[in-house]
């Protein structure tokens, strides 16, 4: 399971369950700050990723955000 998103500039990114961010858009600092404020005890659960999605979406710089189940 991972989070995939696109910012308002159309740049895409992902956040893996191990909290690794692959994103190089204009809002990198905001995205990094949100992720670093999450409780990162081990890999993210589905609930952690859902909470992360809500927080990122509320920051207002994302056009689309999706939770993808890799199983």
């Amino acid at each position: 399971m991972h989070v995939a998103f696109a910012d308002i500039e159309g740049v895409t990114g992902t956040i893996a369950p191990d909290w690794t961010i692959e994103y190089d858009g204009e809002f990198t600092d905001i995205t990094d700050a949100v992720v670093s404020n999450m409780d990162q005890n081990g890999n993210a659960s589905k609930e952690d990723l859902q909470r992360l999605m809500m927080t990122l979406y509320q920051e207002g710089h994302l056009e689309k955000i999706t939770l993808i189940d890799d199983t």
Side-chain angles (χ1 to χ4, degrees):
M1 198 160 288
H2 70 278
V3 174
F5 60 91
D7 67 20
I8 58 175
E9 302 290 325
V11 179
T12 60
T14 60
I15 303 171
D18 67 357
W19 303 103
T20 303
I21 304 169
E22 291 188 22
Y23 171 67
D24 192 26
E26 184 176 331
F27 304 98
T28 298
D29 292 343
I30 294 170
T31 305
D32 289 348
V34 168
V35 171
S36 61
N37 284 334
M38 298 295 293
D39 182 17
Q40 297 183 17
N41 294 328
N43 284 344
S45 66
K46 180 178 181 178
E47 291 78 20
D48 291 334
L49 293 174
Q50 288 172 328
R51 194 167 58 251
L52 172 65
M53 289 172 60
M54 288 301 299
T55 304
L56 285 171
Y57 191 76
Q58 290 170 349
E59 290 293 325
H61 68 276
L62 296 182
E63 186 171 301
K64 181 179 177 182
I65 189 165
T66 307
L67 184 62
I68 298 176
D69 187 350
D70 299 321
T71 59

